[in-house]
Amino acid sequence: MGRPARRGACMVMLCTLSVLLSLLVPAHTTRSPDCGGILTPSGLRYLAEVSKPHAESVLRRDLMDSPAPSPTSPSSRNHITSVKVDKFSLTLVPDTGMRLSIEVDLGITSAPSSTKEMRLSILADLHVDMNPEGNLELVTSDCKPTLEEVQSTEETDSKSSGSDVDKHINVEKICLEVSKLLLFPNERLMSLAAPFPITPNCQVQYLPLAAPMYSEQGIIISLQTTFQVAGAVIPLPVSPVPFSMPEPASSSPSHLILAFSEHFYTSLFSALEESGALNVSLLSSLTTATLAERITQMGSLFQEDLPVVLQAVTRSSPHVVLEEDKAIVQLFLTAQIGAGSSPFQSFLSVNVDVTARLQLSVADTRMIISVAAVEDIGLSLATSDVGPILAALLEELFLPTIREEVPAQINKVLRQGVFLPHIASFTYTDVNITIHKDYVLIPCNLQLEARTGEARTWE
């Protein structure tokens, strides 16, 4: 009952977001999303949690290290001696953006023996926009700061005293730079669209199609993947079915939900094909001498005993199929069977169709894709002048090599993994991958990378 119940519950919790995503893409363009993500309210709470010490550090620097006022100014009596962020929250405002609420306790010395406590409250409305260059940027649409006295040992009028502090604290400057109190400023948002390496000559890049949308379930962003080979963007076939990113029907405990379409995985393997990464050399356990024992015609082709090699190249683009709890890749290869290295001497050409099961996992910010098992191999002769007896013999001789070596070579190509969309300084933990028909869902939590050996530590 466990697996069917889990799958049924998962399907009940998911509803399509095709209408929202279609609004993100202008009608006159052929660009369409093939992956995306939802930053949930839980994720926003985590970002606020890890931003709180950072915000305190920024405010302490700006308020305590501000230039001293003129000695003739009344505010010269005031000196901020402590800054403590008491409250720092980031909440979702559906259809609008985010609301940042901050309460800061200030310790102020106004005379050698006089101290007071003031509270600086900031309420700001934020949203992520797309600039003309196509990069996402955090924008402040409204900011309301207030400053009030909490406790004082002075006997002077509190309103006058508060006015003096107002002159010392540049609240307008704080509001102008309020987005910098968060740990994902625009530099980090721009890193989302940076190119990431897959192989030495192949890169992946996730491009935002429009500014995010805001629903009750989170901040929704749609992405289009491009692949570069040797620095040039390669053309890829357009998906026949637009990707509809699933949205949880109820609140998710995960910070982030990533989703990847079937077309994304097909495009990935097509890019690897274009880069030549799927062209592999398979070393057989046979030699020309042992092969001649089974196929007598081989004896006259080689004067010495050499290892038999299959040099395989793709003859058409790979294809990935996603089903419930299952990912399949189909490879279409042509293998030249021969021996020798300089020069390589081919004596037979065969078409090899491999259907293999993929295994998906996540390490840090990389998706690890590996061939778990070969489910089917089709081997056919590229030439028709070979009899059926010899064809059957070739299958007997070379299928074990293909079954063993093709997964090993593909896993070697993908051993470093494929970078997921992410912003700098954050990695993913508590990952749960589920494969559905036509898409892969990756709920995960965010983790601020440690820089000095301790989580949530930064400068």
Side-chain angles (χ1 to χ4, degrees):
M1 176 176 175
R3 179 178 289 271
R6 178 177 64 85
R7 184 179 301 163
C10 183
M11 294 304 294
V12 170
M13 288 180 62
L14 295 176
C15 63
T16 57
L17 197 61
S18 55
V19 175
L20 290 177
L21 285 179
S22 65
L23 294 174
L24 291 173
V25 187
H28 63 272
T29 179
T30 58
R31 299 174 70 194
S32 61
D34 54 14
C35 61
I38 302 176
L39 180 64
T40 68
S42 297
L44 285 177
R45 285 193 293 271
Y46 176 77
L47 290 176
E49 176 188 340
V50 297
S51 293
K52 183 178 177 181
H54 166 78
E56 188 170 287
S57 176
V58 172
L59 288 170
R60 185 180 292 117
R61 182 182 64 241
D62 289 351
L63 296 176
M64 296 178 65
D65 297 342
S66 56
S70 167
T72 60
S73 169
S75 62
S76 63
R77 299 182 301 118
N78 298 308
H79 179 65
I80 298 175
T81 56
S82 67
V83 175
K84 179 177 175 56
V85 175
D86 182 58
K87 176 186 175 184
F88 194 100
S89 66
L90 191 62
T91 54
L92 189 68
V93 182
D95 303 320
T96 303
M98 300 165 284
R99 180 154 295 155
L100 177 64
S101 178
I102 310 173
E103 291 185 1
V104 187
D105 292 333
L106 305 176
I108 299 173
T109 300
S110 4
S113 59
S114 300
T115 61
K116 71 178 73 174
E117 292 181 10
M118 304 288 291
R119 172 156 293 179
L120 172 64
S121 299
I122 302 171
L123 193 64
D125 290 334
L126 310 172
H127 67 276
V128 178
D129 208 348
M130 177 176 278
N131 62 26
E133 291 75 31
N135 294 316
L136 298 178
E137 58 182 11
L138 192 61
V139 177
T140 304
S141 53
D142 188 34
C143 182
K144 297 177 181 177
T146 58
L147 189 65
E148 61 180 352
E149 185 174 305
V150 178
Q151 184 177 355
S152 176
T153 60
E154 288 186 340
E155 297 180 358
T156 57
D157 179 66
S158 62
K159 290 184 179 180
S160 173
S161 176
S163 176
D164 290 348
V165 177
D166 284 345
K167 296 175 183 178
H168 192 63
I169 299 175
N170 191 341
V171 291
E172 291 185 3
K173 180 176 182 293
I174 292 175
C175 269
L176 283 174
E177 301 179 352
V178 71
S179 63
K180 293 184 179 180
L181 301 180
L182 292 167
L183 264 179
F184 52 101
N186 292 332
E187 294 81 5
R188 284 195 172 97
L189 286 177
M190 289 175 63
S191 70
L192 175 69
F196 302 111
I198 303 174
T199 67
N201 69 333
C202 183
Q203 294 179 317
V204 62
Q205 190 172 17
Y206 303 98
L207 301 177
L209 291 178
M213 298 187 69
Y214 304 87
S215 76
E216 292 183 357
Q217 303 309 320
I219 302 174
I220 307 155
I221 182 170
S222 62
L223 301 169
Q224 184 186 51
T225 310
T226 63
F227 294 92
Q228 300 175 23
V229 174
V233 175
I234 62 172
L236 293 169
V238 178
S239 174
V241 180
F243 176 52
S244 298
M245 183 176 159
E247 181 186 15
S250 60
S251 180
S252 170
S254 298
H255 297 164
L256 180 69
I257 303 173
L258 297 173
F260 296 86
S261 68
E262 182 178 272
H263 183 66
F264 165 84
Y265 292 96
T266 292
S267 298
L268 168 63
F269 277 90
S270 296
L272 293 173
E273 175 213 4
E274 184 75 19
S275 70
L278 300 183
N279 298 337
V280 294
S281 182
L282 311 177
L283 181 63
S284 168
S285 59
L286 300 172
T287 68
T288 53
T290 56
L291 189 61
E293 295 175 2
R294 305 293 299 274
I295 307 174
T296 55
Q297 298 95 320
M298 297 296 103
S300 60
L301 293 179
F302 299 95
Q303 302 302 315
E304 56 180 321
D305 191 16
L306 298 171
V308 174
V309 176
L310 288 76
Q311 290 192 351
V313 297
T314 54
R315 70 176 190 275
S316 62
S317 296
H319 185 64
V320 174
V321 178
L322 298 179
E323 302 171 356
E324 289 296 322
D325 297 320
K326 190 176 184 180
I328 296 292
V329 62
Q330 299 169 333
L331 302 174
F332 308 101
L333 310 171
T334 294
Q336 300 293 332
I337 302 176
S341 56
S342 55
F344 174 77
Q345 186 175 348
S346 171
F347 54 79
L348 195 61
S349 179
V350 295
N351 292 331
V352 182
D353 296 344
V354 178
T355 300
R357 188 161 185 164
L358 297 176
Q359 181 174 312
L360 307 178
S361 61
V362 171
D364 298 325
T365 55
R366 292 169 293 121
M367 177 165 44
I368 308 301
I369 305 172
S370 59
V371 177
V374 173
E375 295 200 339
D376 185 54
I377 299 177
L379 192 150
S380 60
L381 295 163
T383 56
S384 59
D385 57 349
V386 180
I389 296 179
L390 180 56
L393 181 57
L394 290 173
E395 286 194 9
E396 176 190 341
L397 294 173
F398 294 110
L399 279 186
T401 297
I402 295 170
R403 185 177 296 276
E404 181 179 346
E405 288 297 319
V406 167
Q409 294 290 339
I410 300 301
N411 291 342
K412 184 178 180 180
V413 169
L414 290 170
R415 67 186 182 275
Q416 299 298 328
V418 179
F419 278 97
L420 297 166
H422 67 282
I423 60 175
S425 300
F426 287 90
T427 187
Y428 299 139
T429 63
D430 306 317
V431 179
N432 180 28
I433 297 180
T434 53
I435 303 173
H436 300 279
K437 181 174 172 56
D438 302 329
Y439 69 94
V440 172
L441 208 61
I442 308 180
C444 56
N445 286 336
L446 298 169
Q447 175 64 58
L448 181 66
E449 290 183 321
R451 291 191 177 182
T452 58
E454 185 176 333
R456 301 177 186 170
T457 300
W458 62 87
E459 287 295 335

